[in-house]
Amino acid sequence: MDFETSMENLTSPCDHDCDCNPDPALLADFKRAIHALGGKWKLEILFALMNGAVRFGALRRSIGGITQHMLTTQLRELEQDGLVSRRTAFAEKPLRVEYGLTDAAYGLLPAFKEILSWSRLYGDARLAASQEA
């Protein structure tokens, strides 16, 4: 991906007469991604499913603080956006339903690795700053 922002060179937006607005197509792509991933729990849900399909109850237990209603809502939205698939496995009682990632969601793995890397750097910097204070 080849685009520049004022953040990349840590400068403020230009003061001279130019068109500093982002490319509308690029902005539309970004908004679509943010909409699909936006929400308090969606990234945690996707991360929890990175190691394979999980039953609803186990998924809920793995994400502390999420209610059953909110997990159901977020899973439905992720399904609609093509990031999570619901698989009914076995016709047993109670019905066994597993949720897993689609190929599109597995494409987020490099981004998750980068977020973890950033978190480790940021966490270390925050810890060092708090120790200096």
Side-chain angles (χ1 to χ4, degrees):
M1 184 177 299
D2 198 18
F3 61 92
E4 291 186 28
T5 66
S6 60
M7 291 187 299
E8 288 177 345
N9 58 14
L10 300 177
T11 62
S12 59
C14 62
D15 293 329
H16 51 81
D17 192 23
C18 71
D19 183 14
C20 294
N21 293 325
D23 174 12
L26 185 62
L27 185 57
D29 289 343
F30 186 75
K31 284 181 177 182
R32 187 171 40 257
I34 294 302
H35 175 63
L37 300 173
K40 182 175 180 180
W41 301 103
K42 286 183 181 179
L43 290 174
E44 288 185 53
I45 292 167
L46 292 171
F47 189 77
L49 294 173
M50 279 289 165
N51 290 323
V54 178
R55 291 179 72 169
F56 182 89
L59 182 59
R60 183 172 173 218
R61 286 188 297 276
S62 73
I63 303 171
I66 193 168
T67 65
Q68 180 174 337
H69 175 75
M70 183 54 69
L71 179 56
T72 299
T73 300
Q74 297 283 274
L75 283 168
R76 284 181 183 153
E77 289 178 16
L78 288 165
E79 280 184 89
Q80 288 174 348
D81 289 327
L83 297 173
V84 168
S85 63
R86 177 176 28 174
R87 292 188 284 260
T88 304
F90 311 111
E92 50 189 51
K93 293 194 180 192
L95 189 62
R96 182 175 164 183
V97 177
E98 293 183 332
Y99 292 87
L101 298 181
T102 63
D103 289 342
Y106 278 114
L108 290 166
L109 186 57
F112 280 163
K113 287 180 180 179
E114 288 297 319
I115 289 170
L116 286 170
S117 177
W118 173 85
S119 177
R120 289 181 185 118
L121 287 174
Y122 173 74
D124 291 343
R126 192 177 74 204
L127 179 62
S130 69
Q131 289 175 347
E132 290 176 5

